[in-house]
Amino acid sequence: MAKILKRERLVPNIHLIEIEDPQIAKKCKPGQFVIVMADNFGERIPLTIADWDTEKGSVTSVFLVVGTSTHKLSLLEAGDEVPVFVGPLGRPSEIEKFGKILCAGGCFGIAAIYPIARAMKEAGNTVITVLDVKANFLLYWEDKLRSVSDEFYVSSRDGYYDCKDFIPKTLESVVKKEGKIDRVISIGCTYLMYTCSEATKPLGVKTLVSLNPIMVDGTGMCGACRVTVDGRTKFACVDGPDFDGHLVDWEELFIRRKSYFEDEIESLCYWEKKNFP
Amino acid sequence: MAEKKEMPPELKEKLRARFNEDWRKELRKSFPVKERMKLPRQKMPERDPEERNKDFSEVNLGLTEKWAREEAKRCLDCANPQCVMGCPVGIDIPTFVKLLEIGDYEQSVRKLKETNVLPAICGRVCPQETQCEVVCNLMKATGVPVAIGNLERFIADYERNTGDVHIPKLPPSTGHKVAVLGAGPAGLTVAGDLALKGHDVTIFEALHVAGGVLVYGIPEFRLPKKILSAEVDYLQNLGVELKTNFVVGLTATIDDLKKEGYEAFFIGTGAGLPNFMRIPGENLVGVYSANEYLTRVNLMRAYDFPVYDTPVYLAKRAAVLGGGNVAMDSVRIAKRLGAEFSACVYRRSRAEMPARVEEVHHAEEEGIEFHFLTTPIRFIGDDKGHLKAMECLRMELGEPDDSGRRRPVPIEGSEFIMEVDLAVVAIGNSSNPLIGQTTPGLKVGKWGNVEVDWETMATNMKGVYAGGDIIRGGATVILAMGDARIAATEMDKYLRSKKAKKRKHKT
């Protein structure tokens, strides 16, 4: 059992959860993830690590409330416990001095990209951060991300910040303005990562994405998370989660992520009926 | 088939001494061999196939006390018991069976546990017909061996059901810390053996429940979870500490654990990397590895969805590819989850199937179809990316291959379509690469398997041993336990020699 130290709603539908686990905190590297199970009836789901504190011995993740598992997590409070909290899993992101890095995040990916931006900055890169939100009230961790970015852009559909465009178009204009980019890293929903990859393909900028397929064990044992990259099957949990976005078979990933679409609805309805009759 | 091995002299002597005990002599005299040979083998009572193929309760009901004692009478109590050599962990089979025959269940189970910490499990999942029972002298004489596995199960269940499981008196603590990586059959065995020798044992398990393949792989209807958890409780009562949700290599490395004071290590992380067929369409929705299918159903209890959150696809027409025990478990699960058609598709013929005979038999009774000499060459999807059919090819058997089994050869032009909406790939596993990748200096073979000296199970790293599927790449529970017993003996020697050295150093 792992103890929840904090659970907080950051913005509507996006929550932060900080869990006590000194052993995992000691080992975390940017780009890795944990597997969490909210209760004994729960599903094992992967969450990208958004931050960690070795002194406090805690690990933080940020998630969007979608299905049963994330609903359950969003109702936990400090002091509660979860039966499964395991990690850090997956290969860490490649961090070195590349030159100019563009970090593109949206949704839970705003938090997930933070440790990568921070590490890239520490490694001596110029870090340009581009965030995408639907509206101004959905932006969080602005200060945290600003503190590790040389340039900082937010694209919001309501035009509250720099522009209204959806992220691929923003990327194009930012690249035009900032000149040569050595590497793009994109984290967020599958659609965001897909469109970012499509946008950077003609620009010839290497683009890494942190894939989020369905997983069960997260240690390479089951193969639920298989993705096709450059024509070859890879396991996102042990070969990834970072892959070259220009080589990912996105269509397959979209389909596989929807494998249990109807079951997910049934599960959520069942849970809601049971808990909020 | 069990190889004919020479019995080590110490073991021979030990068995001979017990054989010559007065009560054994009398028992043999009281009922002559000729009469014993006439007794029929007691049939294991089973639930009706049409009832059991709809739920997940256990298929075999277990022998009653009366039947078990009748069966024990069939054992001829041979002077040269081949069964002991047939058992990978070397259980003193005649002694436990004869104790059962005279009704001394308490001593019988103790005898069994001297060499096997998980008897209730082995009695259920071991392939006895290729190990102890195949070399039984009664097999040679009459063709029907003593039902050793069923007796093992009976005696282990008997003790558990009395609620009074004997905890042996432990020797004083040696103070040595041992880390066992993986709570599967190998890890549990090592942990038990070393705890009984007085060492301070911790098991590190990546999943949230102990048992490894026994919990995520073998289904409830073959090995109920409560049996497994009772065996794990027993180990904890012996002082073994269990740390779940701990992936050695990622949560902490072997080096990290060394710094925490662990002196000896056993790697039993299993064959956790599923093999796929590498044919087109394998990533369509509806194509599973057996590991995923079994884990969803057994560990995550998808059969009870939506009470449990993890779903699994409920097929109308299921095909399971492979002919081993994992394939049998998967195909029987698909049936239980409501498939109208649930078939085992195997590229060789029935004779080459590696599955336990009993499982194949049970599957047939439950309405599983068998398509032998058939292999898929392509998975075909619908417009939503979901599996709708497999293109298959017929095979014929050619010359024997390295495994000694006849090699399947495709018959040209024999392509045909099999309509299925679920395919479970059960063609084996490779060793999980995590430990090799995260333990610098550990010698790992071409297939990711940890390399060991087979005499001692020692790896190339001092104090680090390994056994089970991580060295074999996909075998059986009992072979893993056999490796574990050797490793435990050697680890004990290693730790004791260390202590001696330490002492020498001090003086």
Side-chain angles (χ1 to χ4, degrees), chain B residues 251-264:
Chain B
T251 313
T253 62
I254 287 183
D255 274 340
D256 296 331
L257 294 175
K258 269 186 192 163
K259 282 176 205 145
E260 284 180 32
Y262 290 94
E263 300 160 75

PDB file of all heavy atoms in Angstrom, chain B residues 251-264:
ATOM      1  N   THR B 251      12.944  -0.270  -9.458  1.00  0.00           N
ATOM      2  CA  THR B 251      12.692   0.326  -8.142  1.00  0.00           C
ATOM      3  C   THR B 251      13.996   0.361  -7.337  1.00  0.00           C
ATOM      4  O   THR B 251      14.279   1.309  -6.611  1.00  0.00           O
ATOM      5  CB  THR B 251      11.599  -0.465  -7.391  1.00  0.00           C
ATOM      6  OG1 THR B 251      10.496  -0.689  -8.283  1.00  0.00           O
ATOM      7  CG2 THR B 251      11.103   0.281  -6.191  1.00  0.00           C
ATOM      8  N   ALA B 252      14.771  -0.695  -7.482  1.00  0.00           N
ATOM      9  CA  ALA B 252      16.129  -0.732  -6.927  1.00  0.00           C
ATOM     10  C   ALA B 252      16.883  -1.800  -7.700  1.00  0.00           C
ATOM     11  O   ALA B 252      16.288  -2.769  -8.156  1.00  0.00           O
ATOM     12  CB  ALA B 252      16.107  -1.069  -5.449  1.00  0.00           C
ATOM     13  N   THR B 253      18.179  -1.616  -7.860  1.00  0.00           N
ATOM     14  CA  THR B 253      18.969  -2.624  -8.579  1.00  0.00           C
ATOM     15  C   THR B 253      19.574  -3.601  -7.578  1.00  0.00           C
ATOM     16  O   THR B 253      19.518  -3.374  -6.361  1.00  0.00           O
ATOM     17  CB  THR B 253      20.101  -1.951  -9.365  1.00  0.00           C
ATOM     18  OG1 THR B 253      20.951  -1.295  -8.422  1.00  0.00           O
ATOM     19  CG2 THR B 253      19.574  -0.932 -10.364  1.00  0.00           C
ATOM     20  N   ILE B 254      20.169  -4.653  -8.102  1.00  0.00           N
ATOM     21  CA  ILE B 254      20.845  -5.614  -7.228  1.00  0.00           C
ATOM     22  C   ILE B 254      21.937  -4.893  -6.435  1.00  0.00           C
ATOM     23  O   ILE B 254      22.108  -5.125  -5.233  1.00  0.00           O
ATOM     24  CB  ILE B 254      21.409  -6.786  -8.060  1.00  0.00           C
ATOM     25  CG1 ILE B 254      20.238  -7.673  -8.525  1.00  0.00           C
ATOM     26  CG2 ILE B 254      22.414  -7.599  -7.259  1.00  0.00           C
ATOM     27  CD1 ILE B 254      20.633  -8.912  -9.286  1.00  0.00           C
ATOM     28  N   ASP B 255      22.627  -3.964  -7.081  1.00  0.00           N
ATOM     29  CA  ASP B 255      23.669  -3.200  -6.382  1.00  0.00           C
ATOM     30  C   ASP B 255      23.100  -2.383  -5.228  1.00  0.00           C
ATOM     31  O   ASP B 255      23.695  -2.320  -4.154  1.00  0.00           O
ATOM     32  CB  ASP B 255      24.409  -2.277  -7.367  1.00  0.00           C
ATOM     33  CG  ASP B 255      25.542  -3.009  -8.058  1.00  0.00           C
ATOM     34  OD1 ASP B 255      25.987  -4.053  -7.520  1.00  0.00           O
ATOM     35  OD2 ASP B 255      25.973  -2.553  -9.138  1.00  0.00           O
ATOM     36  N   ASP B 256      21.947  -1.754  -5.473  1.00  0.00           N
ATOM     37  CA  ASP B 256      21.300  -0.991  -4.397  1.00  0.00           C
ATOM     38  C   ASP B 256      20.990  -1.899  -3.212  1.00  0.00           C
ATOM     39  O   ASP B 256      21.188  -1.526  -2.059  1.00  0.00           O
ATOM     40  CB  ASP B 256      19.970  -0.379  -4.879  1.00  0.00           C
ATOM     41  CG  ASP B 256      20.163   0.647  -5.983  1.00  0.00           C
ATOM     42  OD1 ASP B 256      21.223   1.290  -6.011  1.00  0.00           O
ATOM     43  OD2 ASP B 256      19.241   0.798  -6.817  1.00  0.00           O
ATOM     44  N   LEU B 257      20.485  -3.096  -3.529  1.00  0.00           N
ATOM     45  CA  LEU B 257      20.104  -4.015  -2.453  1.00  0.00           C
ATOM     46  C   LEU B 257      21.341  -4.502  -1.699  1.00  0.00           C
ATOM     47  O   LEU B 257      21.292  -4.740  -0.493  1.00  0.00           O
ATOM     48  CB  LEU B 257      19.298  -5.196  -3.014  1.00  0.00           C
ATOM     49  CG  LEU B 257      17.922  -4.831  -3.593  1.00  0.00           C
ATOM     50  CD1 LEU B 257      17.257  -6.052  -4.223  1.00  0.00           C
ATOM     51  CD2 LEU B 257      17.007  -4.246  -2.524  1.00  0.00           C
ATOM     52  N   LYS B 258      22.437  -4.660  -2.423  1.00  0.00           N
ATOM     53  CA  LYS B 258      23.696  -5.044  -1.757  1.00  0.00           C
ATOM     54  C   LYS B 258      24.058  -4.000  -0.706  1.00  0.00           C
ATOM     55  O   LYS B 258      24.461  -4.328   0.397  1.00  0.00           O
ATOM     56  CB  LYS B 258      24.826  -5.135  -2.788  1.00  0.00           C
ATOM     57  CG  LYS B 258      24.979  -6.526  -3.376  1.00  0.00           C
ATOM     58  CD  LYS B 258      26.194  -6.604  -4.274  1.00  0.00           C
ATOM     59  CE  LYS B 258      26.138  -7.919  -5.057  1.00  0.00           C
ATOM     60  NZ  LYS B 258      27.023  -7.919  -6.207  1.00  0.00           N
ATOM     61  N   LYS B 259      23.884  -2.724  -1.098  1.00  0.00           N
ATOM     62  CA  LYS B 259      24.204  -1.644  -0.158  1.00  0.00           C
ATOM     63  C   LYS B 259      23.295  -1.680   1.059  1.00  0.00           C
ATOM     64  O   LYS B 259      23.651  -1.202   2.122  1.00  0.00           O
ATOM     65  CB  LYS B 259      24.093  -0.277  -0.865  1.00  0.00           C
ATOM     66  CG  LYS B 259      25.312   0.000  -1.738  1.00  0.00           C
ATOM     67  CD  LYS B 259      25.159   1.299  -2.508  1.00  0.00           C
ATOM     68  CE  LYS B 259      26.016   1.266  -3.764  1.00  0.00           C
ATOM     69  NZ  LYS B 259      25.389   1.973  -4.883  1.00  0.00           N
ATOM     70  N   GLU B 260      22.090  -2.219   0.874  1.00  0.00           N
ATOM     71  CA  GLU B 260      21.163  -2.333   2.010  1.00  0.00           C
ATOM     72  C   GLU B 260      21.463  -3.548   2.872  1.00  0.00           C
ATOM     73  O   GLU B 260      20.745  -3.831   3.823  1.00  0.00           O
ATOM     74  CB  GLU B 260      19.724  -2.408   1.504  1.00  0.00           C
ATOM     75  CG  GLU B 260      19.185  -1.068   1.055  1.00  0.00           C
ATOM     76  CD  GLU B 260      17.747  -1.169   0.559  1.00  0.00           C
ATOM     77  OE1 GLU B 260      16.996  -2.023   1.070  1.00  0.00           O
ATOM     78  OE2 GLU B 260      17.384  -0.406  -0.351  1.00  0.00           O
ATOM     79  N   GLY B 261      22.511  -4.293   2.504  1.00  0.00           N
ATOM     80  CA  GLY B 261      22.941  -5.402   3.358  1.00  0.00           C
ATOM     81  C   GLY B 261      22.564  -6.790   2.874  1.00  0.00           C
ATOM     82  O   GLY B 261      22.837  -7.785   3.557  1.00  0.00           O
ATOM     83  N   TYR B 262      21.915  -6.877   1.714  1.00  0.00           N
ATOM     84  CA  TYR B 262      21.601  -8.209   1.204  1.00  0.00           C
ATOM     85  C   TYR B 262      22.889  -8.864   0.706  1.00  0.00           C
ATOM     86  O   TYR B 262      23.685  -8.238   0.005  1.00  0.00           O
ATOM     87  CB  TYR B 262      20.560  -8.135   0.092  1.00  0.00           C
ATOM     88  CG  TYR B 262      19.201  -7.758   0.612  1.00  0.00           C
ATOM     89  CD1 TYR B 262      18.776  -6.433   0.619  1.00  0.00           C
ATOM     90  CD2 TYR B 262      18.358  -8.730   1.146  1.00  0.00           C
ATOM     91  CE1 TYR B 262      17.542  -6.080   1.141  1.00  0.00           C
ATOM     92  CE2 TYR B 262      17.125  -8.384   1.668  1.00  0.00           C
ATOM     93  CZ  TYR B 262      16.720  -7.062   1.660  1.00  0.00           C
ATOM     94  OH  TYR B 262      15.501  -6.726   2.182  1.00  0.00           O
ATOM     95  N   GLU B 263      23.083 -10.138   1.071  1.00  0.00           N
ATOM     96  CA  GLU B 263      24.351 -10.794   0.757  1.00  0.00           C
ATOM     97  C   GLU B 263      24.232 -11.809  -0.361  1.00  0.00           C
ATOM     98  O   GLU B 263      25.191 -12.089  -1.061  1.00  0.00           O
ATOM     99  CB  GLU B 263      24.882 -11.518   2.004  1.00  0.00           C
ATOM    100  CG  GLU B 263      25.121 -10.583   3.164  1.00  0.00           C
ATOM    101  CD  GLU B 263      25.164 -11.358   4.462  1.00  0.00           C
ATOM    102  OE1 GLU B 263      26.179 -12.022   4.711  1.00  0.00           O
ATOM    103  OE2 GLU B 263      24.161 -11.325   5.203  1.00  0.00           O
ATOM    104  N   ALA B 264      23.062 -12.407  -0.492  1.00  0.00           N
ATOM    105  CA  ALA B 264      22.886 -13.393  -1.557  1.00  0.00           C
ATOM    106  C   ALA B 264      21.578 -13.097  -2.281  1.00  0.00           C
ATOM    107  O   ALA B 264      20.631 -12.576  -1.680  1.00  0.00           O
ATOM    108  CB  ALA B 264      22.859 -14.801  -0.976  1.00  0.00           C
TER     109      ALA B 264
END
